Amino acid sequence: QVQLVESGGGLVQPGESLRLSCAASGFTLDDYSIGWFRQAPGKEREGVSCISSEDGTTYYADSVKGRFTISRDNAKNTVYLQMTSLKPEDTAVYYCAAAPWVVPGLWVKAVNFGSWGQGTQVTVSS
């Protein structure tokens, strides 16, 4: 059974950092493209970052480029999202999702990912 579990969310002040984890069970993470998405109240779920199953290529939304870093630890079957210089507008529930393969230009579309975690809350506030 494919399962994804996110952790690492919390309440931080603007400018601080957090590292989110996405632990997988029931499948091998590096055989899948893994995306991080977020959803703020009243807004649509948006793609934040993705790491490709094919060659480990990473993708980022413009809003987080230069501040967030996605990485994969195959030994731990875990994908991370390191978030730095956090802003209040980063406040959302963050989800990780898996797909066997995603067209590079379409990673931002949640519909392309079939397996999802339960989400972890990130709140950036002073």
Side-chain angles (χ1 to χ4, degrees), residues 85-98:
S85 303
L86 283 161
K87 304 175 181 180
E89 51 263 44
D90 294 318
T91 295
V93 178
Y94 283 70
Y95 301 88
C96 64

Side-chain angles (χ1 to χ4, degrees), residues 6-88:
E6 302 96 334
S7 61
L11 171 64
V12 296
Q13 295 188 343
E16 293 186 338
S17 300
L18 276 176
R19 188 179 77 161
L20 305 183
S21 299
C22 173
S25 60
F27 68 102
T28 301
L29 260 182
D30 67 350
D31 290 338
Y32 285 72
S33 291
I34 304 298
W36 280 99
F37 292 78
R38 65 186 181 188
Q39 188 165 20
K43 294 189 177 181
E44 291 187 357
R45 192 167 297 191
E46 64 170 344
V48 174
S49 183
C50 179
I51 185 164
S52 167
S53 59
E54 283 189 314
D55 55 8
T57 299
T58 56
Y59 305 91
Y60 298 94
D62 287 343
S63 59
V64 306
K65 204 170 291 184
R67 299 189 298 124
F68 290 12
T69 303
I70 190 171
S71 62
R72 186 166 56 201
D73 185 333
N74 293 335
K76 295 183 178 180
N77 215 30
T78 299
V79 169
Y80 301 100
L81 185 69
Q82 179 69 49
M83 306 186 295
T84 64
S85 303
L86 283 161
K87 304 175 181 180

